C-alpha cells in the first residue's frame, strides 16, 4: 500500500485545482436558484435607485416632522378607540396633502 503525503498550507483553490463536480439534480437546482436570486437582486437595485431619487426631496427634518404629526394623529385615533387608520397622499395644485381616516374592518 502506497503512502500518500498530504501537502500542508494549501489554499482552498489549490486543494480543489483540477476537480470537477459531477452534475446532479441538486447542483442544477442550486445553480438555477442562484441565477434567480441574482435577477431579483438586480431588479431590487434598480428599484432602490428610483426610490433614492424620490427620497432626495425629503430631508431628515421633513421626515421627522411628518413622523411626529402622524404619531399625534395616531394617538388621537387611539383615544377615540380606533386602532387602525390609513394615510393617503394627494396632490392639490402645488400642495401635497396627507389625508387620514379609520380603516374599515372587512
Amino acid at each position: 500500500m502506497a503512502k500518500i503525503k498530504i501537502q500542508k498550507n494549501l489554499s482552498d483553490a489549490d486543494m480543489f485545482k483540477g476537480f470537477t463536480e459531477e452534475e446532479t439534480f441538486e447542483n442544477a437546482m442550486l445553480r438555477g436558484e442562484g441565477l434567480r436570486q441574482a435577477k431579483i437582486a438586480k431588479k431590487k437595485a434598480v428599484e432602490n435607485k428610483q426610490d433614492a431619487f424620490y427620497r432626495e426631496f425629503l430631508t431628515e427634518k421633513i421626515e421627522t416632522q411628518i413622523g411626529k404629526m402622524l404619531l399625534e394623529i395616531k394617538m388621537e385615533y387611539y383615544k377615540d378607540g380606533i386602532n387602525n387608520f390609513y394615510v393617503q397622499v394627494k396632490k392639490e395644485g402645488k400642495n401635497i396633502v396627507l389625508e387620514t381616516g379609520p380603516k374599515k374592518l372587512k
Side-chain angles (χ1 to χ4, degrees):
M1 197 176 206
K3 204 172 196 182
I4 299 174
K5 186 171 182 174
I6 299 173
Q7 294 179 356
K8 307 255 182 203
N9 300 325
L10 291 177
S11 68
D12 290 344
D14 291 335
M15 284 190 275
F16 286 102
K17 190 184 294 183
F19 176 77
T20 56
E21 190 171 7
E22 179 182 322
E23 183 70 19
T24 63
F25 174 75
E26 290 85 7
N27 294 345
M29 293 302 290
L30 286 173
R31 188 176 58 252
E33 182 68 20
L35 292 173
R36 189 175 75 80
Q37 291 292 337
K39 286 180 184 177
I40 290 171
K42 186 176 180 181
K43 185 177 179 181
K44 283 185 179 182
V46 170
E47 289 174 0
N48 286 342
K49 284 182 182 178
Q50 291 173 346
D51 289 345
F53 173 74
Y54 296 130
R55 286 182 177 253
E56 284 182 16
F57 299 104
L58 294 174
T59 63
E60 204 170 302
K61 183 179 177 183
I62 292 172
E63 284 183 359
T64 302
Q65 289 174 339
I66 292 171
K68 284 180 181 180
M69 289 179 191
L70 287 173
L71 180 61
E72 288 175 20
I73 291 169
K74 181 176 183 172
M75 295 307 294
E76 290 174 17
Y77 279 121
Y78 184 75
K79 288 177 187 174
D80 294 338
I82 300 168
N83 293 329
N84 293 323
F85 71 100
Y86 67 87
V87 179
Q88 188 175 4
V89 181
K90 293 184 176 183
K91 179 184 172 217
E92 294 179 0
K94 293 184 180 181
N95 296 319
I96 298 171
V97 178
L98 293 177
E99 187 177 282
T100 64
K103 278 189 180 175
K104 295 180 182 175
L105 298 175
K106 294 180 182 179

